[in-house]
Amino acid sequence: MKTHALMPQNTVPQILKGKLPGDTDSMELYTRQRGARPVLAVLTGIGLMACVTSATLAAPVGAAHTAPTTQALRLFVAGDSTAATYGPERYPQTGWGAMLQCGLKDVTVLDYAKPGRSTKSYMAEGRLEEIAGELKPGDTVLISFGHNDEKADEPVRFTDPDGDYRTNLEQYIAVMRKHGAIPVLVTPVTRRSFENGKVIDTHAVYASAMRDVAQKTGTKLIDLTVASMRWLAPLGPEKAKKYYLYVSAAERYPAFPNGSVDDTHFTELGARAIANLVDGELARLGLPVSRHVLTARPALTRPVPVGGPFCQ
Amino acid sequence: MKRIFSGAALLAVAWLYQAAPAAEVYLIGDYTVADSPKDAAPQAGWGTYLAAALPNCAPATRVHNLAIAGRSANATAGVSSKSYLASGKFAAIEAALKPRDVVLIAFGHEDERSYDVTVYTNPQTDFPANLMQFASAARAKGATPVFVTPVTRRSFYKGALLNSHGPYVRSMRALAARNHIALIDLTADSMAWLNGVGEAASQPFFIAISTGSVDAAHPNGVRDDSDLTEQGARIAAGLVAHRLAELKLPAICTP
């Protein structure tokens, strides 16, 4: 990918520009708080730079821009920071929702995941309604929350795994179905949470609540908690660091002037690996979108990062 | 004959009470219970004020507040049932325990920190296992374990007080019922108290810390009021003392 002209149109995931009231941890504010400079300077190659810039500027809300055909299936993502799409100023932070596209053929991914949101705050901000307004019969929607529902000391986000976490998920499902869309629950992706060499399931109660909801409502489920723990365990704590947001100050990323030690969020390679798991599970669900999952997904298993969420 | 016998029995009982060494009450728990380090002021733990809240019983009873504050400026979390066990502090308490002692076991608050594996416990598995470890050790020494559910946070959302300790409280209650362990439901009592006082008037009892989480309904942010002030800690201690007296344990309130 040296020039924008050579880049196929569907290689760049959607970057949503829509903002709602209260969207305070949007990238703009984050950038202001950290006083970060644009990350473009660290990206190698003028061509790549042009590509990122034009992709960011040109991607509007909606499917038309990247849809390979007018009949392309659409896959929505409602979720949190682990699934969100980030601009180049946040690189290397990457969410798995931004990479799903790279394992799919003739599917348009619309990533509505937002950093910091729980089932509760996402709804309170009107984001469920926002997705509902876009939905058409036959669309598929991945619903993945839990990381922020767990925050017991934050009333705006906390939900009880035996209470409103379940009822909120049921509400998401009902809204999707009302619009003729197919909801798919996705249990929260694991943290890099090792103890004595073993992966600890820190989402356990929320994941099991979600499994219950899936069963009770007859909703398809991707058990990303289990899949990602199985992926993480053989890596071990040290090798896992290149997939989670471990960044040294020496790498001089503008978003991380002091580096980063983060066991929750993903680097570009981490987002690719998790997207690979999600696409792989999606293929097994027997949904219309399942037949559009590529059997070989080299863009999601590549060992070396590209510098952005590109399908190559 | 009967009279003489009961008289002797009374004497024997009186002698036993006199001869028995003073009963000790041990508190184990997190920073909502612990004596607060100076640099944490105005934050206070309710354990500090428990002895003062037991005026009629205190002379024969010594209260040892061995809860761990563990919330210095650099710590991301306090002490949970897991890290308390890991600290080795309980092993020392266990060695000192004797019959008639009471062990108040107050965890939950920090066990919830799912982002930190050094403190996080699964409320359905590790948390009850840890609690049972404390309780069994106490019972093995002839002491009485008493579970205390965590004091509520001042977490109002749209006017309603949330039970942010939910899964942990339910787990502790179920474990107490299953194993016939005395339980002081401080979560329920403190929530009832806070609901009675109301959102605005309860402010002096907690320390407001901005969580930085803001949404459309709360443009100025919602505060996490987890930490008790001295005023709040004294009230929580009063709630615990009241329930402790109701348990009629000899170590707490001798006849």
Side-chain angles (χ1 to χ4, degrees):
Chain A
M1 191 199 303
K2 286 294 173 199
T3 69
H4 184 227
L6 291 177
M7 188 172 62
Q9 279 219 308
N10 66 345
T11 55
V12 180
Q14 297 275 316
I15 294 170
L16 292 173
K17 296 293 185 80
K19 272 214 305 281
L20 290 168
D23 190 4
T24 51
D25 58 354
S26 67
M27 287 182 278
E28 289 83 349
L29 179 62
Y30 203 97
T31 308
R32 261 206 316 278
Q33 282 171 339
R34 296 289 183 95
R37 289 169 288 118
V39 76
L40 294 177
V42 302
L43 296 172
T44 50
I46 298 293
L48 182 58
M49 231 166 85
C51 170
V52 171
T53 309
S54 51
T56 307
L57 297 177
V61 175
H65 174 66
T66 53
T69 71
T70 50
Q71 296 301 311
L73 287 169
R74 303 197 307 169
L75 179 64
F76 286 74
V77 183
D80 56 37
S81 59
T82 59
T85 297
Y86 299 91
E89 74 282 0
R90 289 296 303 160
Y91 191 82
Q93 179 165 10
T94 311
W96 56 261
M99 300 307 314
L100 288 175
Q101 186 85 63
C102 303
L104 302 168
K105 190 175 180 288
D106 297 337
V107 176
T108 303
V109 175
L110 293 135
D111 188 0
Y112 279 70
K114 289 285 169 187
R117 298 334 192 258
S118 69
T119 56
K120 181 173 165 179
S121 64
Y122 195 88
M123 269 202 292
E125 292 169 5
R127 295 183 186 281
L128 177 57
E129 289 164 31
E130 186 194 11
I131 290 195
E134 298 288 325
L135 286 179
K136 289 191 298 220
D139 288 341
T140 304
V141 190
L142 304 182
I143 303 161
S144 189
F145 292 98
H147 280 90
N148 299 303
D149 290 73
E150 292 166 9
K151 298 197 166 150
D153 53 7
E154 299 192 23
V156 165
R157 308 201 260 183
F158 171 75
T159 63
D160 191 322
D162 303 321
D164 48 352
Y165 182 65
R166 288 166 190 256
T167 52
N168 289 350
L169 290 176
E170 284 163 11
Q171 198 175 332
Y172 280 68
I173 291 164
V175 167
M176 305 313 173
R177 287 183 174 158
K178 199 178 114 195
H179 289 82
I182 305 160
V184 176
L185 294 174
V186 182
T187 57
V189 64
T190 189
R191 296 183 174 97
R192 185 187 155 279
S193 46
F194 282 93
E195 189 178 46
N196 304 324
K198 249 185 74 185
V199 181
I200 305 291
D201 185 3
T202 63
H203 298 304
V205 269
Y206 289 83
S208 77
M210 189 182 265
R211 288 177 201 120
D212 275 3
V213 171
Q215 199 181 15
K216 278 187 193 139
T217 57
T219 305
K220 297 282 187 187
L221 177 90
I222 291 176
D223 203 333
L224 185 57
T225 305
V226 167
S228 58
M229 285 174 72
R230 280 192 188 138
W231 160 78
L232 181 61
L235 282 174
E238 280 312 307
K239 278 191 188 158
K241 284 181 180 170
K242 74 170 174 175
Y243 299 99
Y244 288 83
L245 208 43
Y246 275 70
V247 175
S248 85
E251 290 174 88
R252 302 178 61 129
Y253 289 114
F256 305 97
N258 304 316
S260 163
V261 173
D262 182 336
D263 295 320
T264 301
H265 299 102
F266 296 99
T267 58
E268 182 200 323
L269 283 187
R272 286 177 192 270
I274 301 303
N276 188 42
L277 298 174
V278 175
D279 280 341
E281 296 288 323
L282 203 52
R284 283 201 276 270
L285 290 184
L287 296 174
V289 74
S290 302
R291 277 170 305 179
H292 292 255
V293 178
L294 299 171
T295 317
R297 299 183 288 275
L300 298 182
T301 52
R302 58 175 303 121
V304 181
V306 178
F310 314 116
C311 295
Q312 62 177 84
Chain B
M1 183 64 191
K2 216 180 214 174
R3 201 171 292 163
I4 292 165
F5 179 75
S6 46
L10 255 177
L11 273 175
V13 167
W15 179 82
L16 265 176
Y17 266 117
Q18 216 177 357
E24 322 279 339
V25 176
Y26 294 95
L27 269 74
I28 62 171
D30 54 49
Y31 77 94
T32 63
V33 186
D35 294 336
S36 207
K38 281 202 178 75
D39 68 349
Q43 191 261 321
W46 58 259
T48 305
Y49 307 102
L50 185 63
L54 292 164
N56 300 319
C57 317
T61 308
R62 286 187 296 179
V63 177
H64 305 277
N65 188 9
L66 300 177
I68 300 177
R71 220 194 194 194
S72 63
N74 297 327
T76 57
V79 168
S80 69
S81 65
K82 178 176 177 174
S83 57
Y84 197 94
L85 276 168
S87 76
K89 199 162 184 170
F90 186 69
I93 297 169
E94 194 182 349
L97 280 177
K98 56 190 185 323
R100 297 172 73 243
D101 285 349
V102 175
V103 185
L104 300 184
I105 301 158
F107 290 100
H109 211 284
E110 301 300 288
D111 289 68
E112 295 162 7
R113 311 275 178 197
S114 62
Y115 53 81
D116 184 345
V117 290
T118 64
V119 295
Y120 170 76
T121 63
N122 181 321
Q124 288 154 1
T125 56
D126 330 324
F127 182 61
N130 292 348
L131 294 177
M132 206 56 216
Q133 196 174 328
F134 294 126
S136 302
R139 279 181 166 173
K141 289 297 195 87
T144 308
V146 179
F147 289 157
V148 185
T149 59
V151 65
T152 187
R153 296 185 173 95
R154 182 170 166 265
S155 49
F156 284 93
Y157 183 77
K158 296 183 176 172
L161 182 61
L162 305 181
N163 181 0
S164 65
H165 301 302
Y168 294 84
V169 172
R170 288 188 289 272
S171 173
M172 191 185 260
R173 284 176 189 149
L175 185 70
R178 227 173 19 249
N179 295 283
H180 308 289
I181 294 165
L183 177 94
I184 294 176
D185 200 339
L186 180 57
T187 306
D189 285 352
S190 58
M191 284 184 77
W193 159 60
L194 216 53
N195 274 320
V197 175
E199 183 171 356
S202 61
Q203 202 272 316
F205 304 113
F206 289 82
I207 300 163
I209 298 170
S210 173
T211 60
S213 70
V214 176
D215 72 2
H218 304 80
N220 299 317
V222 169
R223 290 173 318 197
D224 157 34
D225 307 51
S226 298
D227 298 6
L228 296 165
T229 58
E230 181 185 328
Q231 237 183 317
R234 283 185 185 277
I235 288 175
L239 296 173
V240 174
H242 174 71
R243 296 293 182 191
L244 202 51
E246 281 182 355
L247 294 178
K248 301 211 182 305
L249 301 169
I252 305 296
C253 294
T254 46

